[in-house]
């Protein structure tokens, strides 16, 4: 026929796209398990750790670390979620479960023969909703005060003595902050929200939290929350929030590099986690830094709150869309075995979540890390409270905090609005 | 006489000019044009700086050493450590204050604020001292102007997640693959469609063309979610290149418009003569129109390459594991890792930009021509 | 009688049945050539449009079945403060960024049209930044706009101005993004440049003879002659700016979307956040349709208003 070539061409075009589709779309590698880890201090070492599983079982494991928070949800809802997902914090797991994105793990625990008694009970708490277990803790994090000894010396303070109360911390910060003649800031003594918000710690120091202890009520506009925000605000407004922001712009982005202000002499004190004392951070980026670690000081009129710390776990979940739940369960069980927990978190300088792993002497050999281990045993060390609305609430809280700290806004009306908006949502979600 | 002057020439002189006046007028004009030229030159240069400086800044930063990147005030030339060879290793040289004055020593290692130094001339003796006491620096690195070419291979090999097999080389390759197949798909699918609108007379042609043009006004957000769900959940093409490539095999409004404009300029007579000879439309299309259209096809190729190379939103939606990232996604990934290694970041960004700049210099005319074709009204 | 019947132009029966065989063949051939686009249109335009329209009236959380809620999403949108914030952020860019950029590119095109030495080199310099890939240029400008270590504030400091906090001050984040956009306006400059070169010389000469100075020639001859280009650039610029996404996404670095203080939370960014971060796909679809309507209205408005101002030669 006259248009034979045309038909031929069109059909070739369609066939070409079909072929491309089939060869690009087919993924025969069902024998590769994919593990995504939200934190990624040392991706190479993580891959090497999981290569041990390959050595034992012959199943190849592909590690992706770190994972941006923005990519977590798309990966869970996409067609190719990882087989095991390790999240930086347990606070969003309940939200994910509500959306049907993660598996309930009771059967996986049985299949993998995981000993629930080996976990520190507090760490397992954040994963439990009623009698359902939504995740398993894998390493845990804790925060304390870090200070730069050289800067202390230069300001005339004893480099070995950190502030003993929150009031003293404010005094020290004053001495350690240098302002130039034109108002710009040369160095900052203490920045409360570096490298991310630590309101959970400060609110505990003021004696409360934004949830009730049993997680059934929202207390976002309670006095401790207001006090915590007001206390943080002074570090910005005292020198002019604009001036502080001019200096600290971009600091959060430099967290894993040698330009982090704590290393370059721009920030004297701040709150950070136990991993800093390990091989992946200060020792890697700025071995010349001489620094100290101590528990965050309590307010002067509440010494009973000394050694208050907020413990946040990293948790492992099995996505609901994982292809082979059995294989995921087995991998999870291997990850939870005390030997692996000890090895990974000894190296990475994180706190172990397995009682047996915690007996390993390596956890007490590093004196700075030992501060955290001791802190964990304190009666004031509390796990973060989570609910199914944590996802949205955390965002909203972050916005309020940003407004209060960076623009000097009054926290009370903002928190009142937050409370009014989210209390009904919490009640709705808990039904 | 004055009354007879046409009103639109108010500056016309009535009397004949004297030589003196002519010379003055000439000088005045020369002075005016000199200042005009000076003014326009200054302005062009000044604004040109706005375009040029960031570009140069990107290049300079790509060559800087890590210590130099945050130097205040920012320096225009890259500085790097002066290194000296000791026992087969390249060690950085420091100015160290010792009891016997300031010495130039090589740093062997630095741990927790204490440095171990050796004299390059006599490596057997080590000196240990603190790097900094309070704010006094006891040991300072010596820097000199040097271009750190090493940043480029370092950045490319590193990628955004070191040690997991996803380097910028991989991202670069992925970008190339996607760009190549997209070009193939675009050329194959848009040309017949554009030809139909340009040269084929069929009922409903004008209505369909208006329909195509109106899709240009459709924001991608309207179709984004169902397309995402379709590719991800229905076809299970998540995390592959297919969602980015396959749609290019089905024509798009912009290229159809561009090609149609061009095809319309091909003389009707040639096609008519061929029709009279009994050629089918397909034969006319492939034997006459396509060979004459090489310039515009080159334009479409260049633009498709530019568009795919640049694309960020598409890869963001569909590519989830780092091994499949494109350069654009990888660069953003690197930047969001909180490891702001600016010199390596700029080096990677430069490598990302280079293919386009090369393409531009080879195909300058094509670039400009294409932009004109899209910009000018029919 | 016969005349009456044959002269009346009935719309029915439809013309389809009255096609001559030639037309029918042409139609078939045309459709064949159009096949790639037709399939694409059905699969990637029509179907998604209908699907998202349906989603916009439902609650759809991807892994769970669709739940019809009628106009609830749209009602919620009106009450959503972030919706209004994102809309106002986007309108800021559309109302300020687009005209400013157009003005600047026209100005640059005029400059580049002057007879200066090295004209072609300048043209390359002005154009080159526009082909630097978006992600690379955004990251570069993050570096440039850093309040303390970036060169912009350093250069401003040389002339005695203390530069603002481009990235952490909500009042300055959008101007920073506009600067970024202007850096890459080379394409628009080229379009204007070719338009300038098409301005009929005889008109300019006549004006000069009439005693018009440089500014009057520009305003009364050049600007009207390139007004079709201005209109085209304006409309495409507005349509594009309503969908502004990639630069804002990269600009916030490792902070949350919209940093600082939701000043960079543009409409498209908030839509993405709803769809892919919070899984509210029905809500996001409603946002998408509202955007479509807004774009349509703006385009029609622009076309209406422009009728008074554009001049088409011949």
């Amino acid at each position: 026929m006259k248009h034979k070539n045309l038909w031929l061409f069109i059909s070739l075009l369609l066939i070409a796209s079909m072929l491309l589709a089939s060869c690009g779309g087919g993924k025969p590698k069902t024998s590769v398990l994919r593990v995504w880890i939200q934190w990624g201090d040392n991706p190479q070492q993580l891959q090497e750790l999981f290569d041990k599983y390959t050595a034992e079982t012959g199943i190849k494991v592909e590690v992706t670390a770190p994972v941006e928070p923005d990519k977590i949800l798309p990966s869970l809802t996409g067609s190719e979620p990882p087989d095991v997902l390790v999240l930086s914090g347990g606070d969003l797991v309940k939200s994910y479960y509500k959306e049907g994105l993660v598996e309930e793990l009771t059967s996986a625990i049985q299949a993998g023969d995981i000993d629930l008694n080996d976990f520190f009970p507090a760490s397992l708490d954040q994963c439990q909703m009623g009698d359902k277990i939504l995740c398993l803790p894998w390493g845990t994090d804790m925060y304390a005060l870090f200070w730069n000894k050289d800067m202390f010396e230069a300001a005339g303070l004893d480099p070995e003595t950190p502030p003993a109360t929150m009031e003293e911390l404010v005094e020290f910060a004053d001495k350690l902050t240098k302002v130039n003649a034109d108002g710009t800031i040369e160095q900052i003594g203490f920045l409360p929200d570096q490298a991310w918000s630590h309101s959970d710690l400060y609110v505990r120091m003021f004696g409360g939290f934004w949830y009730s202890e049993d997680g059934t009520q929202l207390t976002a506009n309670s006095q401790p929350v207001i006090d915590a925000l007001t206390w943080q605000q002074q570090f910005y407004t005292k020198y002019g929030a604009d001036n502080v922001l001019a200096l600290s712009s971009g600091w959060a982005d430099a967290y894993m590099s040698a330009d982090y202000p704590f290393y370059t002499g721009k920030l004297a004190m701040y709150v950070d986690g136990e991993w800093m004392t390990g091989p992946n951070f200060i020792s890697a980026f700025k071995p010349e830094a001489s620094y100290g670690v101590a528990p965050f000081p309590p307010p002067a009129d509440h010494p009973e709150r000394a050694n208050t710390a907020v413990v946040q776990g990293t948790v492992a979940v099995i996505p609901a869309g994982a292809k082979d739940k059995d294989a995921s369960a087995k991998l999870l069980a291997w990850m939870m075995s005390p030997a692996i927990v000890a090895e990974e978190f000894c190296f990475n300088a994180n706190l172990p979540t397995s009682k047996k792993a915690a007996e390993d002497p390596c956890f007490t050999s590093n004196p700075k890390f030992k501060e955290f281990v001791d802190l964990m045993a304190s009666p004031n060390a509390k796990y973060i409270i989570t609910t199914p609305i944590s996802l949205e609430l955390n965002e909203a809280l972050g916005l309020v905090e940003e407004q209060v700290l960076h623009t000097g806004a009054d926290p009370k009306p903002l928190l009142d609005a937050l409370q009014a908006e989210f209390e009904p949502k919490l009640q709705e979600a808990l039904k | 006489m004055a009354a007879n002057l046409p009103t639109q020439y108010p500056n016309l002189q009535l009397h004949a000019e004297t030589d003196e006046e002519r010379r003055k007028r000439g000088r005045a004009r020369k002075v005016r044009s000199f200042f005009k030229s000076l003014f326009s030159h200054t302005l062009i240069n000044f604004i040109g700086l706005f375009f040029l400086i960031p570009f140069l800044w990107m290049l300079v930063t790509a060559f800087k050493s890590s210590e130099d990147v945050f130097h205040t005030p920012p320096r225009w030339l890259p500085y790097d450590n002066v290194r000296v060879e000791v026992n087969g290793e390249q060690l950085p040289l420091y100015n160290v204050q010792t009891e016997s004055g300031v010495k130039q020593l090589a740093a062997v290692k630095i741990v927790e604020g204490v440095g171990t130094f050796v004299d390059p001339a006599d490596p057997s003796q080590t000196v240990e001292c603190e790097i900094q006491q309070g704010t006094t620096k006891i040991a300072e690195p010596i820097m000199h102007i040097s271009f750190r070419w090493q940043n480029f291979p370092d950045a490319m090999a590193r990628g955004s997640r070191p040690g997991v097999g996803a380097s910028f080389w991989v991202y670069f390759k992925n970008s190339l693959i996607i760009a190549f197949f997209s070009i193939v798909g675009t050329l194959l699918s848009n040309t017949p469609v554009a030809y139909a609108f340009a040269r084929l007379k069929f009922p409903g042609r004008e209505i369909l063309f208006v329909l195509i043009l109106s899709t240009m006004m459709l924001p991608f957000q309207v179709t984004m979610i169902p397309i995402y769900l379709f590719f991800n959940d229905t076809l299970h093409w998540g995390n592959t290149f297919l969602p980015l490539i396959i749609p290019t095999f089905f024509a798009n409004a912009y290229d159809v418009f561009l090609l149609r404009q061009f095809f319309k300029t091909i003389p009707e007579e040639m096609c008519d003569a061929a029709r009279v000879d009994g050629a089918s439309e397909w034969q006319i299309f492939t034997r006459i129109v396509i060979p004459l259209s090489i310039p515009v096809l080159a334009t479409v190729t260049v633009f498709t390459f530019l568009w795919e190379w640049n694309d960020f939103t598409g890869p963001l939606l569909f590519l989830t594991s780092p091994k499949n990232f494109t350069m654009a996604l990888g660069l953003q990934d690197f930047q969001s890792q909180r490891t702001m290694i600016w010199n390596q970041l700029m080096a990677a960004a430069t490598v990302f930009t280079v293919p386009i700049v090369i393409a531009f210099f080879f195909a300058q005319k094509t670039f400009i021509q294409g932009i004109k074709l899209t910009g000018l009204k029919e | 009688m016969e005349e009456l019947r044959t002269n009346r132009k009935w719309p029915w029966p439809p013309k389809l049945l009255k096609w001559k065989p030639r037309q029918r063949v042409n139609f078939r051939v045309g459709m064949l050539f159009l096949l790639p686009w037709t399939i694409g249109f059905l699969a990637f335009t029509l179907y998604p449009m209908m699907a998202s329209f349906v989603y916009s009236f439902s609650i759809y959380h991807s892994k769970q079945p669709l739940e019809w809620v009628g106009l609830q999403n749209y009602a919620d949108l009106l009450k959503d403060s972030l919706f209004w914030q994102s809309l106002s952020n986007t309108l800021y860019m559309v109302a300020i960024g687009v005209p400013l950029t157009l003005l600047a590119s026209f100005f640059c095109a005029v400059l580049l049209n002057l007879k200066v030495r090295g004209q072609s080199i300048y043209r390359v310099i002005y154009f080159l930044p526009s082909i630097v890939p978006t992600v690379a240029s955004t990251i570069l400008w993050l570096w440039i706009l850093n309040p303390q270590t970036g060169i912009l504030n350093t250069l401003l400091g040389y002339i005695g101005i203390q530069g603002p906090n481009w990235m952490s001050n909500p009042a300055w984040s959008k101007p920073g993004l506009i600067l970024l956009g202007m850096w890459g306006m080379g394409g628009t400059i080229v379009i204007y440049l070719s338009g300038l070169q098409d301005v009929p010389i005889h008109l300019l000469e006549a004006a000069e003879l009439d005693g018009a100075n440089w500014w009057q020639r520009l305003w009364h001859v050049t600007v009207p002659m390139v007004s079709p280009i201005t209109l085209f650039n304006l409309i495409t610029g507005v349509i594009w700016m309503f969908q502004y996404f990639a630069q804002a996404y990269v600009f916030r670095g490792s902070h949350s979307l919209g940093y600082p203080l939701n000043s960079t939370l543009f409409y498209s960014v908030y839509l993405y956040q709803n769809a892919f971060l919070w899984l509210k796909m029905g809500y996001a679809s409603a946002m998408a349709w509202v955007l479509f309507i807004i774009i349509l209205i703006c385009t029609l408005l622009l076309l209406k208003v422009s009728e008074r101002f554009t001049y088409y030669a011949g």
Side-chain angles (χ1 to χ4, degrees):
Chain A
M1 70 185 163
K2 206 173 175 194
H3 298 283
K4 176 175 62 170
N5 286 338
L6 178 53
W7 279 110
L8 197 61
F9 172 75
I10 299 278
S11 32
L12 273 177
L13 199 60
L14 286 173
I15 293 177
S17 37
M18 299 298 168
L19 274 177
L20 251 187
S22 56
C23 77
K27 267 177 299 294
K29 306 175 216 145
T30 47
S31 60
V32 173
L33 290 178
R34 288 152 55 239
V35 175
W36 282 25
I37 303 179
Q38 190 174 353
W39 44 268
D41 305 349
N42 196 328
Q44 190 152 16
Q45 180 269 337
L46 282 165
Q47 179 68 60
E48 282 165 20
L49 181 79
F50 279 90
D51 285 341
K52 296 209 169 128
Y53 187 70
T54 313
E56 270 177 46
T57 61
I59 303 177
K60 203 164 169 333
V61 179
E62 189 186 284
V63 174
T64 300
V67 181
E68 250 185 80
D70 290 348
K71 298 238 162 67
I72 302 268
L73 208 47
S75 78
L76 287 173
T77 62
S79 57
E80 303 286 333
D83 299 289
V84 172
L85 176 62
V86 179
L87 300 164
S88 285
D91 44 352
L92 300 181
V93 179
K94 292 190 178 133
S95 308
Y96 292 155
Y97 183 71
K98 182 171 76 115
E99 298 285 340
L101 297 172
V102 294
E103 285 282 296
E104 205 268 308
L105 291 176
T106 323
S107 46
I109 292 172
Q110 280 176 335
D113 209 8
I114 300 175
D115 179 12
L116 282 180
N117 292 319
D118 188 34
F119 291 105
F120 285 107
S123 68
L124 203 49
D125 265 341
Q126 62 180 330
C127 284
Q128 284 185 300
M129 199 163 87
D131 54 357
K132 295 197 176 71
I133 301 185
L134 306 177
C135 57
L136 286 177
W138 202 52
T140 207
D141 296 325
M142 210 171 205
Y143 292 84
L145 184 70
F146 283 72
W147 77 91
N148 183 321
K149 288 188 178 167
D150 287 329
M151 291 170 81
F152 262 52
E153 232 179 309
L157 297 162
D158 177 12
E160 301 304 320
T161 314
T165 64
M166 285 172 85
E167 287 75 8
E168 215 176 59
L169 192 145
V170 178
E171 274 177 40
F172 280 33
D174 267 335
K175 292 207 185 91
L176 289 159
T177 307
K178 286 210 198 115
V179 184
N180 294 328
D182 57 359
T184 58
I185 303 187
E186 190 57 44
Q187 73 182 40
I188 296 183
F190 177 73
L191 207 57
D193 59 346
Q194 192 57 228
W196 49 81
S197 166
H198 298 294
S199 287
D200 47 10
L201 176 62
Y202 306 133
V203 174
R204 282 277 180 215
M205 276 303 177
F206 279 101
F209 202 66
W210 52 76
Y211 290 121
S212 59
E213 287 302 317
D214 56 3
T216 57
Q217 282 197 308
L218 190 66
T219 53
N221 56 353
S222 57
Q223 196 57 38
V225 183
I226 299 177
D227 287 341
L229 286 181
T230 317
W231 183 81
Q232 296 182 62
Q233 192 182 52
Q234 67 183 308
F235 295 100
Y236 275 89
T237 49
K238 213 185 301 188
Y239 310 103
D242 271 344
N243 293 328
V244 175
L245 285 171
L247 180 58
S248 67
S249 226
W251 276 4
D253 292 339
Y255 187 65
M256 286 179 70
S257 77
D259 305 311
Y260 194 55
F262 190 62
Y263 311 147
T264 57
K266 294 281 179 196
L267 181 62
M269 300 184 283
Y270 81 116
V271 172
D272 210 338
E274 80 289 346
W275 56 82
M276 293 296 273
T277 63
N280 298 319
F281 286 86
I282 302 186
S283 333
F285 295 122
K286 193 82 173 186
E288 358 8 331
S290 56
Y291 69 99
V293 182
F296 194 79
D301 51 354
H302 284 281
E304 76 278 7
R305 292 189 195 145
N307 294 335
T308 297
V310 177
V311 193
Q312 267 254 26
T314 60
V315 298
V317 295
I318 297 184
K323 292 265 162 42
D324 185 351
K325 303 271 165 55
D326 262 338
S328 295
K330 290 207 178 65
L331 182 57
L332 194 63
W334 176 84
M335 283 165 67
M336 296 296 149
S337 55
I340 296 297
V341 171
E343 181 180 334
E344 170 62 26
F345 299 113
C346 260
F347 173 83
N348 224 31
N350 292 124
L351 296 162
T353 36
S354 147
K355 289 184 189 147
K356 288 211 192 71
E359 290 164 13
D360 195 312
C362 73
F363 286 114
T364 41
S365 55
N366 179 342
K368 294 208 169 76
F369 186 74
K370 192 171 178 309
E371 293 274 348
F372 290 95
V373 178
D374 292 340
L375 199 52
M376 228 210 354
S378 145
N380 284 335
K382 294 189 166 61
Y383 260 86
I384 193 150
I385 304 172
T386 70
T387 66
I389 62 160
S390 289
L391 190 58
E392 282 189 54
L393 181 70
N394 288 356
E395 288 250 5
L397 263 176
L399 194 63
V400 167
E401 185 179 313
E402 203 189 325
Q403 279 174 292
V404 170
L405 299 194
H406 294 184
T407 66
D410 180 7
K412 187 149 183 10
L414 294 170
L415 288 171
D416 284 337
L418 192 75
Q419 174 76 18
E421 189 187 339
F422 280 93
E423 172 69 26
K425 286 191 184 159
L426 178 63
Q427 297 313 321
E428 177 71 36
L430 284 176
K431 282 207 212 108
Chain B
M1 289 294 258
N4 292 344
L5 251 192
T7 43
Q8 65 259 48
Y9 300 113
N11 291 334
L12 261 192
Q13 308 258 3
L14 280 183
H15 62 274
E17 260 186 327
T18 64
D19 277 341
E20 179 65 42
E21 281 174 338
R22 200 181 297 128
R23 250 179 276 130
K24 243 201 253 173
R25 196 160 49 88
R27 264 200 305 262
R29 195 188 305 144
K30 280 213 191 79
V31 168
R32 250 206 326 269
S33 76
F34 170 73
F35 273 112
K36 254 204 278 193
S37 156
L38 183 69
F39 182 64
S40 46
H41 266 98
T42 320
L43 208 54
I44 283 198
N45 273 308
F46 190 66
I47 298 194
L49 283 179
F50 169 68
F51 289 101
L52 193 60
I53 289 186
F55 212 82
L56 288 181
W57 192 243
M58 178 171 85
L59 290 175
V60 165
T61 310
F63 284 109
K64 284 189 178 174
S65 65
S66 319
E67 295 85 0
D68 193 33
V69 168
F70 280 98
H71 192 270
T72 37
R75 288 197 281 216
W76 282 101
L77 287 171
Y79 279 72
D80 198 354
N81 286 329
V82 174
R83 286 173 199 271
V84 82
E85 176 145 349
V86 174
N87 288 339
E89 266 187 77
Q90 290 281 346
L91 299 176
L93 212 55
Y94 276 69
N95 273 329
V96 184
Q97 292 177 24
T98 61
E99 294 91 33
S100 35
V102 178
K103 287 217 205 116
Q104 291 196 347
L105 302 174
V108 177
K109 72 170 193 269
I110 301 178
V111 170
E112 282 234 16
V114 175
T116 316
F117 298 94
V118 291
D119 189 336
D122 178 18
S124 54
Q125 282 206 323
T126 58
V127 174
E128 271 200 21
C129 69
E130 272 185 53
I131 301 287
Q132 190 172 331
Q133 262 177 3
T135 42
T136 16
K137 285 199 154 68
I138 303 193
E140 262 197 273
I142 305 177
M143 315 284 268
H144 67 154
I145 294 181
S146 161
F147 285 76
R148 211 193 239 189
W149 290 92
Q150 190 58 31
N151 280 339
F152 284 85
D154 279 349
M156 293 302 286
R158 185 189 192 282
S160 49
R161 289 122 194 281
V164 289
S167 69
F168 274 113
W169 290 123
V170 171
Y171 300 161
F172 195 84
K173 176 194 74 157
N174 293 339
S175 286
L176 275 179
I177 294 177
I178 293 177
F180 173 73
F181 283 106
S182 301
I183 291 174
V184 168
T186 306
L187 287 176
L188 285 181
S189 63
N190 282 297
T191 38
V193 176
Y195 178 69
F197 283 113
R199 280 286 170 257
L200 293 183
K201 294 182 187 41
F202 58 91
R205 185 177 81 170
E206 300 311 316
I207 301 176
L208 277 178
F209 190 61
V210 168
L211 184 62
I212 289 193
L213 284 191
S214 64
T215 61
M216 278 204 237
M217 271 210 306
L218 192 70
F220 75 87
Q221 286 84 353
V222 171
T223 52
M224 167 174 84
I225 295 174
I227 287 183
Y228 172 80
L229 292 172
F230 177 59
F231 278 129
N232 247 318
D233 293 345
T234 318
L235 291 176
H236 295 290
W237 283 358
N239 203 29
T240 63
F241 299 154
L242 292 169
L244 299 169
I245 297 178
I246 296 296
T248 65
F249 279 80
F250 293 100
N252 71 81
Y254 296 93
D255 290 318
V256 165
F257 181 66
L258 192 95
L259 287 167
R260 173 197 184 255
Q261 300 302 86
F262 184 85
F263 287 160
K264 268 182 143 11
T265 66
I266 293 182
E268 213 39 279
E269 304 82 55
M270 297 184 73
C271 304
D272 282 341
R275 275 193 208 107
V276 163
D277 281 347
S280 73
E281 287 300 339
W282 180 248
Q283 286 169 324
I284 300 176
F285 174 58
T286 48
R287 304 257 173 92
I288 301 180
V289 175
I290 296 285
L292 286 178
S293 312
I294 303 292
V296 76
L297 292 180
T299 305
V300 169
T301 306
V302 163
F303 274 0
T304 308
F305 179 75
L306 188 58
W307 171 255
E308 292 294 328
W309 193 254
N310 206 357
D311 191 19
F312 174 72
T313 313
L316 179 69
L317 286 180
F318 294 110
L319 301 176
T320 47
S321 69
K323 282 217 198 121
N324 291 336
F325 281 176
T326 56
M327 262 318 257
L329 206 52
L331 214 58
Q332 189 266 339
D333 191 50
F334 189 169
Q335 180 241 12
S336 70
Q337 292 313 327
R338 298 168 173 265
T339 44
M340 296 307 249
I341 310 179
W342 282 108
N343 49 353
Q344 285 192 358
L345 199 55
M346 289 296 118
T350 309
V351 172
F352 186 31
T353 313
V354 156
I356 309 236
V357 173
I358 293 180
F360 172 71
F361 277 109
F362 273 110
Q364 235 184 52
K365 279 225 185 72
T366 317
F367 253 95
I368 308 292
Q369 196 61 37
I371 294 184
K372 286 194 203 167
L373 273 173
T374 54
L376 294 179
K377 225 199 163 279
E378 178 180 319
Chain C
M1 278 300 161
E2 297 290 304
E3 283 179 49
L4 279 175
R5 254 208 264 142
T6 48
N7 279 342
R8 197 159 302 189
K9 295 253 183 335
W10 271 107
W12 196 263
K15 284 216 181 131
L16 278 170
L17 298 181
K18 291 284 172 72
W19 279 355
K20 305 195 198 70
R22 178 85 214 154
Q23 276 183 307
R24 230 173 280 172
V25 167
N26 278 351
F27 186 71
R28 228 191 354 204
V29 174
M31 282 300 123
L32 272 180
F33 270 83
L34 284 186
L35 202 60
W37 178 79
T38 320
I39 300 181
F41 178 72
L42 292 173
F44 299 120
T45 307
L46 198 60
Y47 158 71
M49 271 179 83
M50 296 192 308
S52 78
F53 193 64
V54 170
Y55 295 165
S56 73
F57 294 106
S58 354
I59 292 185
Y60 190 32
H61 279 202
S62 163
K63 282 274 180 272
Q64 290 157 341
L66 208 83
E67 193 189 314
W68 184 267
V69 287
L71 286 170
Q72 186 63 36
N73 284 338
Y74 291 95
D76 287 340
L77 269 181
L78 291 177
K79 287 186 270 174
D80 188 355
S81 63
L82 283 180
F83 165 75
W84 292 110
Q85 168 113 35
S86 66
L87 194 57
S88 96
N89 285 336
T90 309
L91 284 174
Y92 180 107
M93 297 295 275
V94 167
I96 299 181
V98 175
L100 209 62
T101 309
L102 273 189
L103 205 65
S105 42
F106 177 70
F107 180 62
C108 289
V110 166
L111 276 182
L112 289 178
N113 206 26
L114 296 174
K115 309 245 179 318
V116 282
R117 243 174 314 172
Q119 189 193 52
S120 51
I121 301 181
Y122 286 119
R123 289 184 182 178
V124 169
I125 291 179
Y126 282 44
F127 181 71
L128 220 47
S130 69
I131 59 176
V132 174
T134 318
V135 176
S137 58
T138 313
I139 293 179
L140 173 63
W141 274 83
L142 269 177
W143 182 215
I144 293 177
L145 291 175
N146 189 304
Q148 286 225 330
T149 54
I151 45 165
L152 181 59
N153 279 3
T154 311
L155 291 177
L156 286 175
Y158 289 158
I159 53 176
I161 305 177
Q162 187 178 31
N165 291 349
W166 297 99
M167 284 143 43
S168 40
N169 189 334
W172 287 100
S173 53
K174 286 194 279 285
L177 285 172
I178 293 182
L179 272 180
L180 165 64
M182 282 211 218
W183 192 61
M185 63 183 174
T188 322
I189 297 180
V190 165
I191 294 179
Y192 263 130
L193 198 56
S194 60
L196 284 177
Q197 287 162 348
D198 280 347
V199 173
I201 307 197
H202 66 268
L203 283 180
L204 286 167
E205 283 175 351
E208 195 170 356
L209 278 173
D210 282 356
N213 62 25
W214 162 88
W215 167 252
Q216 286 167 323
R217 284 204 301 276
L218 191 74
W219 185 246
H220 293 288
V221 179
T222 315
V223 169
M225 293 306 301
V226 297
S227 54
I229 297 183
T230 305
L231 179 66
F232 175 82
N233 280 337
L234 197 59
I235 293 184
T236 48
V238 163
I239 294 180
W240 178 80
M241 192 55 97
F242 268 113
Q243 305 171 50
Y244 195 69
F245 177 76
Q247 288 90 331
Y249 189 93
V250 178
F251 194 69
R252 47 119 187 184
S254 53
H255 299 276
S256 54
L257 282 173
Y259 184 81
L261 280 181
N262 284 338
S263 59
T264 61
L265 191 75
F266 296 104
Y267 198 88
S268 196
V269 176
Y270 186 49
L271 203 153
Y272 175 85
Q273 197 174 37
N274 270 297
F276 297 105
L277 263 51
W278 297 338
L279 292 183
K280 294 159 76 174
M281 296 199 164
Y283 195 68
S285 299
M287 281 187 76
W289 276 91
V290 170
L291 181 68
F292 186 27
I293 294 174
I294 293 180
I295 290 183
L296 275 177
I297 294 179
C298 280
T299 311
L300 287 172
L301 269 175
L302 277 173
L303 284 172
K304 262 265 130 41
V305 167
S306 73
E307 266 163 34
R308 277 225 308 143
F309 293 108
T310 39
Y311 174 82
Y312 296 94

